[in-house]
Amino acid sequence: MKNVLTALVLLFAATSISAAGSLEGKGPIGELEFKEYCAGCHPNGGNRRNPKKPLGKKSLEGGDIKTVQGIVAKIRNPGPGMTRFDKEAISDKEATEIAEYILKTF
Ligand code: HEC
C-alpha cells in the first residue's frame, strides 16, 4: 500500500514538472514543430495540396475547427491528402503547442 502511495506522489511530482516545462517552451516549440512537420504542405498557413483548406480562421471555422482540440483531432485523424501523425510521431503536448501556434498566427 505504501509503495502505491509513493508511486502516486512521484507520478504527481513528475506531471507537475513537465506541465511547468511546457508552459516555458510555449511559443517557440509550436512554431518550430509546425515548420518541421506541417509547413511543407502548409507554407505560411496555406495549403499546397488542397488550396481550399488553408489554416486561416475562416477556413478552419468553415470546417468546424475552432479550438486547439479541434486541430489536434485533425493531426490525429486528417482528411484526404494530409499525413496522419500519431502520438509516437507528435506527442499530445507537441500537438497542443502546434495548434496554439496555428490559432494565434494564421
Ligand atoms: C502531406 C501534406 C500535409 C501535411 C504534412 C500536413 N497537412 Fe494539414 N492538410 C493537408 C491537406 C491536403 C488538408 C485538407 C484535408 C481535408 O480535405 O480535410 C489539410 C488540412 C488541414 C487542416 C484543416 C484545414 C481546414 O481549413 O479545414 C488543419 C487544421 C491541418 N491540416 C493541420 C495540419 C498540421 C497541424 C500539420 C502538421 C502537424 C499538417 N496539417 C500537416 C495536407 C497536409
Side-chain angles (χ1 to χ4, degrees):
M1 190 60 194
K2 243 190 184 152
N3 285 339
V4 174
L5 278 178
T6 312
L8 280 176
V9 168
L10 285 176
L11 185 68
F12 182 72
T15 319
S16 6
I17 289 166
S18 68
S22 92
L23 273 181
E24 250 177 305
K26 230 166 201 165
I29 289 182
E31 182 174 356
L32 284 176
E33 305 231 328
F34 178 81
K35 289 189 172 139
E36 180 172 351
Y37 296 112
C38 323
C41 295
H42 297 290
N44 299 316
N47 193 331
R48 277 200 178 130
R49 295 266 177 117
N50 182 350
K52 286 186 192 138
K53 299 219 170 160
L55 303 183
K57 283 218 171 56
K58 260 197 195 141
S59 178
L60 291 184
E61 284 174 6
D64 215 21
I65 302 175
K66 300 192 172 94
T67 57
V68 165
Q69 287 76 14
I71 295 179
V72 174
K74 197 80 184 173
I75 294 172
R76 300 281 183 240
N77 193 10
M82 175 165 154
T83 315
R84 183 175 163 270
F85 299 92
D86 61 17
K87 288 183 197 206
E88 312 275 297
I90 299 183
S91 72
D92 283 340
K93 179 179 162 248
E94 292 167 324
T96 304
E97 305 219 8
I98 293 172
E100 283 168 353
Y101 170 74
I102 290 174
L103 285 180
K104 76 169 194 247
T105 311
F106 304 119

